[in-house]
Amino acid sequence: MTYVYTVIAFGLIYTMLALGLNLQMGFTGIINFGYVAFVAIGAYTSAILTVGHHWPMLAGWAAGTALAALASYPLGLLTIRLGGDYFAVVTLGFSELVLLFVLNQRNLTHGAIGITGIHRPFAMLGPQLSAPVTLVIIAALTALTTALIWQIGHSPLGRLLRAIQANDAAAQALGKNTVSYKVLVLVVGSAVAGLAGALYAHWVQYISPEQFSPDVTFNTFIALILGGVGSLLGPVIGAFVLIAFLQGSIVLQDYVHVLSANQQSALRFMIIGLALVLLIVFRPDGIMGRAKRKRAARPERAS
Amino acid sequence: MIATLLQHAVDGIVLGAIMALPAMGLALVWRIAGFPHLAHGSLMTIAAYAAWVAAGSWNLPLPLAVLFGLVISALAGVGMHLGVYRHLAGRPMLNLFIASIGVELFLRYGIIFSFGSDFQTFPLPAERGMHLGPVVVRPLDVILLAAAFAALLGVWWMFRGTQLGRRMRAVSDNPSLARLSAISPARVHLAMWVLVSVLAGASGILLGARDVIAPTMGWDVLLLAFAAAIFGGISNPFGAAIGAFLMGLVSELGILWIPTSYEEGIAFFLIMLVLLVKPRGLFGEAVRA
């Protein structure tokens, strides 16, 4: 049962992550390779406040969400004007900075040791009951986020974002301040990442810096590409396929002993890498594809 | 104080030399193939492991082992191009970017799968630091510096002075016009991949000899090399190399005042500052239409 719970919880959390990234990348065309930074900020903020300062859990989650959003605002203001490719690398650098901060501010984050003793909601019900209750809460918040993103996607704002993605200059020519919309999208997406991070911290009950490596960003990208970039339900499907594969191969490890544990986990990531390449080459629109609105081939720079 | 300052400056230049070779390669890929190549680190790692197997297990003499490493990294780079990137030409940049993450994951974990994640070392005689006045320099660092400068000059000569360089610049500026002038973009791409893979491979082997050989060694340098290339201007391979040396200097001198554990942080902070003033990097070209 624990295993099923874990798959569902991680699937939901990655759904949320993919939703936030989809808003940035799929709708608006912002390539954020430092996405994990905002997950880490949400997770650590909530963990530090609830464990160290005995804040109520909801306040911790709210603070984690808010701080992730707040951190992305100056970053967006400073860097979103850069070309998309530059922005990608600068955000990757930002996530390294956040990770360094977490590793080195030991009095705040306990450095590499990490923070233990983070509680699940309704922990007083005992581990048997609090796990499913936590799952229901995570599911409700994921549904809420999905509804929010759905709303944005179907609103005039969503159409504007797609216009920015399709042709930034044309949107500007129509009198839209594309920079401030991009910053807005970055902030909302980061808030979603922060909330997902806080939920993650309270689900696994122990966080350390190594859980917030760039692999989290890449996994989210994979989930998004698997499900189909820019579609509304793609992230949900992509996240659960990815988690089922990741967790499934971990379970398999307990029964198959041909390879060492190290080799099995290496093989897992080799398969992910291969799948990523094959998907991009053969199904760039994801398993589900994009039903309509096939993106016209954009004239690209030197090939 | 002067001695410490000098020592840090020398260390900074050495750090710059380590980053300069992959940074130049990243800039060349960016300029000619049009995407940030995230699998560049695995080219470094593969070369180091290949040379290590050749020297350690097959007992080849060192020069042959190094040559073997370079050949393997060239093959890997060409393989990536022919197997993956070539099929994505003309697609949005993001497709190539993500494909290169896939290639990186596959190769990095392929190395862990084959060799484990433990550190390895080259069978080298013990080094003794050379004292040059107040500064201590490792002999390997001298080789590293020499190799970096040789590569820098070599690429400069190739890019500016040879037929191949002219073709590369032609293809990067306007592929269709280049094709009209009877230049084969396919061949130029192939030559470019051989060149950048050998550059990356050389830095991987040198880094492996200087420190240790590990599955993530290339990836760890890659982020810094990217930062350096962007700092110097990623559309210009020489700007990228100069960016690498400057960034090495600034990070090494910076730790005189800032805690060592934030060394990488200094670099990224610096880049953000520079990009605010010069959005295309220090030596970058104006935005291309």
Side-chain angles (χ1 to χ4, degrees):
Chain A
M1 213 48 209
T2 343
Y3 164 67
V4 178
Y5 285 159
T6 309
V7 169
I8 297 175
F10 283 3
L12 289 169
I13 287 166
Y14 263 102
T15 300
M16 211 181 240
L17 288 178
L19 283 167
L21 197 67
N22 197 22
L23 181 65
Q24 298 181 349
M25 184 173 90
F27 288 10
T28 324
I30 300 173
I31 306 164
N32 182 353
F33 266 94
Y35 197 58
V36 66
F38 306 100
V39 187
I41 291 173
Y44 267 94
T45 306
S46 187
I48 291 166
L49 290 177
T50 55
V51 175
H53 300 271
H54 307 291
W55 281 35
M57 199 169 294
L58 273 180
W61 294 357
T65 311
L67 205 67
L70 215 62
S72 72
Y73 183 65
L75 182 75
L77 277 188
L78 289 179
T79 57
I80 206 115
R81 278 168 229 264
L82 302 172
D85 345 356
Y86 283 72
F87 182 77
V89 180
V90 170
T91 45
L92 194 58
F94 178 73
S95 79
E96 289 294 304
L97 275 181
V98 169
L99 212 58
L100 274 178
F101 182 85
V102 167
L103 265 171
N104 288 308
Q105 294 302 317
R106 291 191 189 83
N107 48 354
L108 200 62
T109 62
H110 299 270
I113 301 164
I115 300 178
T116 51
I118 309 166
H119 288 300
R120 284 185 180 165
F122 301 102
M124 61 282 197
L125 297 176
Q128 287 294 328
L129 265 175
S130 84
V133 172
T134 310
L135 267 189
V136 171
I137 295 173
I138 295 178
L141 286 169
T142 309
L144 210 66
T145 315
T146 315
L148 174 81
I149 305 280
W150 180 282
Q151 270 300 318
I152 293 177
H154 284 275
S155 68
L157 175 63
R159 281 199 297 280
L160 174 59
L161 298 181
R162 285 172 203 268
I164 292 176
Q165 184 202 31
N167 193 332
D168 197 321
Q172 271 182 28
L174 290 172
K176 304 294 182 191
N177 183 350
T178 58
V179 168
S180 64
Y181 283 110
K182 282 186 187 171
V183 174
L184 175 72
V185 163
L186 188 70
V187 169
V188 174
S190 304
V192 173
L195 178 60
L199 294 176
Y200 171 80
H202 287 267
W203 171 260
V204 297
Q205 296 162 291
Y206 161 70
I207 53 172
S208 64
E210 63 194 24
Q211 296 167 22
F212 301 98
S213 70
D215 292 350
V216 176
T217 307
F218 297 150
N219 281 344
T220 312
F221 267 90
I222 293 166
L224 193 50
I225 290 161
L226 218 59
V229 177
S231 73
L232 286 168
L233 283 177
V236 186
I237 295 154
F240 273 93
V241 171
L242 177 74
I243 294 301
F245 168 73
L246 281 177
Q247 296 292 326
S249 57
I250 290 176
V251 170
L252 205 64
Q253 207 160 303
D254 296 340
Y255 298 100
V256 183
H257 295 288
V258 186
L259 301 167
S260 72
N262 199 4
Q263 281 184 321
Q264 289 216 2
S265 86
L267 194 60
R268 194 157 66 232
F269 285 100
M270 286 172 71
I271 293 172
I272 287 188
L274 198 63
L276 201 53
V277 171
L278 293 177
L279 264 175
I280 285 285
V281 172
F282 295 108
R283 295 298 296 267
D285 281 342
I287 304 175
M288 306 290 293
R290 193 153 26 166
K292 44 183 180 177
R293 286 178 19 81
K294 266 249 170 355
R295 192 190 316 185
R298 205 149 46 97
E300 275 299 317
R301 56 203 291 172
S303 57
Chain B
M1 184 60 202
I2 298 288
T4 328
L5 210 63
L6 272 177
Q7 182 70 54
H8 277 263
V10 168
D11 291 345
I13 291 173
V14 171
L15 180 64
I18 293 172
M19 294 185 295
L21 297 179
M24 268 197 297
L26 287 170
L28 280 168
V29 176
W30 179 291
R31 184 155 168 179
I32 291 163
F35 70 103
H37 185 219
L38 273 196
H40 219 70
S42 48
L43 289 173
M44 296 174 62
T45 316
I46 281 178
Y49 271 92
W52 169 68
V53 168
S57 306
W58 304 343
N59 291 317
L60 288 184
L62 271 181
L64 275 182
V66 169
L67 190 69
F68 179 70
L70 294 181
V71 168
I72 292 294
S73 70
L75 285 178
V78 169
M80 290 175 192
H81 168 58
L82 293 182
V84 182
Y85 307 140
R86 197 182 50 157
H87 305 288
L88 297 173
R91 296 258 203 102
M93 181 276 282
L94 183 66
N95 280 352
L96 282 149
F97 198 168
I98 292 173
S100 73
I101 296 177
V103 172
E104 160 71 26
L105 285 178
F106 183 76
L107 291 177
R108 190 201 309 170
Y109 286 97
I111 287 169
I112 295 181
F113 185 85
S114 320
F115 300 102
S117 32
D118 295 335
F119 293 160
Q120 313 289 352
T121 48
F122 275 114
L124 288 175
E127 279 187 289
R128 284 184 57 190
M130 300 186 295
H131 288 265
L132 301 173
V135 183
V136 185
V137 186
R138 293 171 56 183
L140 258 172
D141 287 349
V142 178
I143 301 177
L144 196 84
L145 276 176
F149 279 113
L152 194 64
L153 289 176
V155 173
W156 179 283
W157 171 74
M158 191 280 307
F159 214 54
R160 294 283 158 195
T162 67
Q163 186 80 343
L164 178 64
R166 286 225 328 268
R167 291 184 169 158
M168 277 191 185
R169 283 182 288 147
V171 169
S172 81
D173 288 344
N174 190 334
S176 23
L177 193 62
R179 196 176 282 121
L180 277 180
S181 320
I183 297 172
S184 153
R187 268 195 218 162
V188 167
H189 275 250
L190 211 57
M192 184 272 289
W193 280 105
V194 171
L195 177 69
V196 300
S197 309
V198 169
L199 287 177
S203 78
I205 295 171
L206 287 167
L207 186 62
R210 185 178 186 269
D211 302 330
V212 290
I213 303 166
T216 55
M217 58 185 277
W219 174 252
D220 294 340
V221 174
L222 183 77
L223 277 183
L224 287 173
F226 249 125
I230 286 201
F231 180 45
I234 197 164
S235 56
N236 174 349
F238 310 106
I242 296 169
F245 282 106
L246 280 179
M247 221 178 76
L249 270 177
V250 172
S251 345
E252 280 295 329
L253 291 174
I255 54 177
L256 288 172
W257 293 279
I258 296 169
T260 325
S261 42
Y262 279 104
E263 185 174 348
E264 285 175 48
I266 302 173
F268 283 115
F269 189 67
L270 190 73
I271 289 165
M272 293 197 194
L273 286 185
V274 166
L275 289 181
L276 284 183
V277 190
K278 296 220 32 162
R280 295 281 140 174
L282 286 180
F283 306 97
E285 292 169 0
V287 182
R288 288 193 292 151

